[in-house]
Amino acid sequence: MTHFPIVEYDQVTDTKVKEVYDQILSELGFGIIPNIFKSMAINPDILEANWKKFRSTILQGDVPRTLKEMVGVAISQANNSVYALKVHLHGLSALGMSEEVLSTLVSNFDACPLPEREKAVIKFGLLAGTNPLALNESHYQKLRSLGLDDSEIFEVVAAADLFSSVNRYTDAIALEIDAL
């Protein structure tokens, strides 16, 4: 059981929480407000700050959202974070990712039918999110050789940072998986 209340939309009385919930419903593309945000309604300022970070890191930028979500799958799987793993897989399914890619992404990454560039980004993001001190110049150069610029590599590092943080938060509060 989650250690904080899950505040449903129709229970919201705070105008800032309502505003953030409306933005999530209109921009996230899931048709729901994920429990992670509902669990933050206890503190409207922190909810708003986390939504803004999620929006600017995952929903905006030059790196495709699907690629960022696949980085989230890899990090969540490595961290054994069940809530985040299921949310990322649901997100990728909602974004049109095929079942073949989703199943091999978690069961046999090397056989996953993705282009080399995307696999390199996922491996880089996984390392950034789980063992950042292992990253060195050769890892950055590999992404540059595959056509990514520094701004795109920054987005991957920022996404890895966000997803690592989400893993720690959702695991710390024993967040219940959304009814998807």
Side-chain angles (χ1 to χ4, degrees):
M1 183 170 188
T2 304
H3 297 289
F4 296 125
I6 301 296
V7 181
E8 299 295 338
Y9 187 89
D10 59 356
Q11 299 171 317
V12 172
T13 56
D14 184 276
T15 55
K16 185 179 282 185
V17 172
K18 187 100 167 169
E19 189 174 304
V20 171
Y21 275 22
D22 287 338
Q23 291 172 7
I24 292 169
L25 283 171
S26 71
E27 297 176 37
L28 188 59
F30 286 5
I32 64 167
I33 301 163
N35 283 347
I36 186 171
F37 295 113
K38 292 178 189 173
S39 72
M40 294 177 183
I42 194 169
N43 185 319
D45 291 334
I46 291 178
L47 168 66
E48 180 182 50
N50 278 286
W51 165 244
K52 285 182 177 180
K53 183 174 182 179
F54 182 87
R55 175 200 277 156
S56 62
T57 305
I58 306 305
L59 303 182
Q60 300 170 351
D62 295 325
V63 176
R65 178 177 171 187
T66 53
L67 189 51
K68 293 174 188 172
E69 294 276 359
M70 287 189 282
V71 168
V73 166
I75 291 170
S76 298
Q77 188 172 20
N79 289 336
N80 199 24
S81 183
V82 176
Y83 175 86
L85 179 60
K86 290 203 181 243
V87 169
H88 290 300
L89 290 172
H90 174 75
L92 286 166
S93 180
L95 293 169
M97 185 71 57
S98 77
E99 189 58 40
E100 176 190 13
V101 171
L102 292 177
S103 66
T104 55
L105 188 62
V106 293
S107 65
N108 186 1
F109 181 75
D110 290 333
C112 192
L114 291 171
E116 177 189 357
R117 182 178 193 263
E118 292 187 8
K119 284 184 166 185
V121 168
I122 295 167
K123 287 179 180 176
F124 180 93
L126 174 61
L127 203 52
T130 59
N131 190 9
L133 294 177
L135 286 174
N136 58 46
E137 186 56 29
S138 70
H139 295 103
Y140 285 83
Q141 280 305 322
K142 177 162 185 155
L143 293 188
R144 290 181 185 115
S145 74
L146 293 169
L148 279 83
D149 63 26
D150 284 349
S151 177
E152 292 167 315
I153 296 170
F154 173 81
E155 281 186 46
V156 174
V157 172
D161 171 61
L162 175 65
F163 292 141
S164 298
S165 171
V166 166
N167 286 180
R168 287 188 299 276
Y169 174 75
T170 59
D171 293 342
I173 69 166
L175 188 59
E176 294 173 22
I177 296 172
D178 301 272
L180 302 172

